[in-house]
Amino acid sequence: MKRTPLYEVHKSLYAKFTEFGGWEMPLQYTSIVKEHLAVRETVGLFDLSHMGEIDVKGQGANELVQKLCTNDVSRLTDGQVQYTLLCNEAGGIVDDILIYRHADNDYTLVVNAANIEKDFAWVKTHNDTDAEVSDTSHDTALIALQGPRAMDILHRFTPENLAYEVKFFQFGVSRVAGISAAISRTGYTGEIGFELYVEASDAEDLWDALYPAVKEEGGQPVGLGARDTLRLEAGLRLYGMDMDEDTTPLEAGLGRFVKLDKGDFIGKDVLLAQKEKGDLKKKLVGFQMLDRVVARCGCAVHQDGNVVGKVTSGAPSPSLNCNIGFASISPNTGKSIEIEIRGKLHPAKIVKVPFI
């Protein structure tokens, strides 16, 4: 398995590791609940260096990213970030990504760890311009600071008031603890937070600078376990579970990130027809269990004696003290459902997301 530049740091913190997308990553350091609540109440420090970065630059880059992405990349100005999707010709989701605009014809695509090679090949295959496409994932480390105290902590390590000036879905290039970094504010937890992109060789120095400040504020390092429960509470999807190449953005509840009024992009015709006809094969919904059982990915969803879909994500919610999840179900399903867990049906209800 692949390891991030911070692997030895995680070992020294007695992390429990897990495999994720071909990477050996920290699942937890203390407990998932403690780490989750630390992010909600104070601050958490994340190693996200398994994420991928693909640079697209040079003549034709604007045209290429606009063709690849469902969102309207032309709306971006320098220093802005946009959530978007890469779709195949059938409208299925190849990946959900963040796209950073550095300048005209100069972008970085931040892609999911398990999809780095696939996405890089996808971009290159559809590059019929003179744009230069390069995979910079190996040379890039990503550390995230998330939680109510994140802004004040970052302020200690950045020039002037930069930490307070970076707006939601914007980024800037500066120095953090003396280390050159791209500082963005997108987040995957539902909290105030920042993503710090640095050279892989600088990752350990940056972590060592931030970690004491995080501990001083009552925070702690956070593994993938709490990252999953945090994003679920915030109503954020996970690729490979809540969406895949057999699911369209409309079926994943992500239609607001599909701009059908822009020029052509891959999958547009299928998505346009699906929207006009209202012909969804399935829909993604949030649910809350009505008893104390946890519904996990793959559990069948029932209504009126019929199987109407399956759970795609499910976990306890430490913030709400109940069990929640996403399910992909038939579009005409009502709000009261039952979920099959170990051969028994358990009551649940469909609820609005985000959960918090």
Side-chain angles (χ1 to χ4, degrees):
M1 288 187 289
K2 301 174 186 177
R3 292 173 175 172
T4 78
L6 293 170
Y7 175 78
E8 293 298 330
V9 172
H10 302 316
K11 281 183 63 178
S12 72
L13 294 172
Y14 304 102
K16 178 181 179 181
F17 289 90
T18 188
E19 187 277 335
F20 182 79
W23 292 77
E24 190 172 9
M25 294 294 294
L27 175 67
Q28 63 187 71
Y29 302 84
T30 53
S31 77
I32 291 174
V33 171
K34 287 181 180 179
E35 292 167 26
H36 178 111
L37 294 177
V39 176
R40 290 280 181 253
E41 296 168 1
T42 54
V43 67
L45 190 63
F46 299 73
D47 175 17
L48 305 180
S49 302
H50 60 312
M51 300 292 285
E53 293 81 25
I54 299 171
D55 286 345
V56 181
K57 60 180 62 179
Q59 192 63 36
N62 292 340
E63 177 186 346
L64 176 57
V65 295
Q66 190 73 318
K67 180 178 72 173
L68 292 168
C69 298
T70 61
N71 213 332
D72 189 353
V73 182
S74 71
R75 298 182 183 182
L76 289 176
T77 58
D78 298 353
Q80 286 190 323
V81 190
Q82 187 182 76
Y83 178 82
T84 187
L85 302 128
L86 307 178
C87 284
N88 57 33
E89 290 80 358
I93 302 171
V94 174
D95 203 1
D96 69 321
I97 69 170
L98 292 174
I99 183 165
Y100 287 67
R101 175 177 161 129
H102 303 281
D104 187 42
N105 281 313
D106 188 353
Y107 302 88
T108 295
L109 281 57
V110 179
V111 305
N112 285 297
N115 292 340
I116 296 173
E117 291 81 6
K118 180 184 76 168
D119 289 358
F120 186 47
W122 183 260
V123 176
K124 289 196 300 180
T125 297
H126 292 89
N127 182 14
D128 53 5
T129 74
D130 293 328
E132 177 186 342
V133 179
S134 56
D135 179 2
T136 59
S137 307
H138 180 75
D139 302 319
T140 307
L142 174 56
I143 294 174
L145 196 62
Q146 298 279 310
R149 300 297 299 159
M151 190 174 289
D152 292 338
I153 290 175
L154 185 63
H155 176 61
R156 304 183 199 177
F157 298 96
T158 52
E160 300 178 346
N161 292 318
L162 179 65
Y164 303 114
E165 293 170 353
V166 177
K167 305 302 181 184
F168 196 45
F169 271 74
Q170 293 184 357
F171 74 100
V173 177
S174 184
R175 303 190 75 80
V176 181
I179 298 167
S180 180
I183 305 167
S184 76
R185 184 179 166 193
T186 60
Y188 195 53
T189 64
E191 297 293 336
I192 295 172
F194 299 88
E195 300 77 43
L196 310 174
Y197 296 86
V198 298
E199 293 287 336
S201 57
D202 290 328
E204 192 165 336
D205 287 343
L206 181 58
W207 182 281
D208 288 345
L210 295 173
Y211 180 65
V214 168
K215 294 292 288 183
E216 182 182 316
E217 293 290 341
Q220 61 182 79
V222 182
L224 292 186
R227 180 169 163 83
D228 191 50
T229 55
L230 288 161
R231 68 91 189 170
L232 184 56
E233 285 185 348
L236 300 171
R237 284 70 166 161
L238 177 62
Y239 189 85
M241 296 181 67
D242 306 310
M243 52 184 160
D244 53 30
E245 294 197 30
D246 295 320
T247 305
T248 72
L250 304 183
E251 292 168 342
L254 298 172
R256 64 190 180 280
F257 303 108
V258 179
K259 306 305 181 187
L260 294 169
D261 56 350
K262 74 169 192 171
D264 287 340
F265 60 87
I266 300 171
K268 177 179 178 178
D269 291 345
V270 174
L271 297 175
L272 182 60
Q274 191 175 58
K275 183 175 182 179
E276 289 177 343
K277 297 176 182 177
D279 186 23
L280 301 184
K281 297 178 181 177
K282 53 190 175 182
K283 66 177 180 180
L284 192 73
V285 298
F287 68 84
Q288 178 184 330
M289 299 301 299
L290 298 179
D291 57 17
R292 304 303 298 176
V293 180
V294 180
R296 300 292 188 182
C297 178
C299 289
V301 178
H302 295 250
Q303 188 170 76
D304 299 330
N306 299 311
V307 175
V308 294
K310 65 177 182 179
V311 173
T312 58
S313 290
S317 166
S319 304
L320 299 174
N321 195 30
C322 64
N323 300 318
I324 59 175
F326 279 127
S328 180
I329 60 175
S330 172
N332 57 0
T333 303
K335 290 189 177 297
S336 295
I337 56 175
E338 294 178 302
I339 298 179
E340 185 176 352
I341 304 170
R342 293 184 291 277
K344 291 184 62 178
L345 295 181
H346 296 264
K349 64 178 180 180
I350 294 174
V351 297
K352 290 183 179 180
V353 294
F355 296 94
I356 62 168

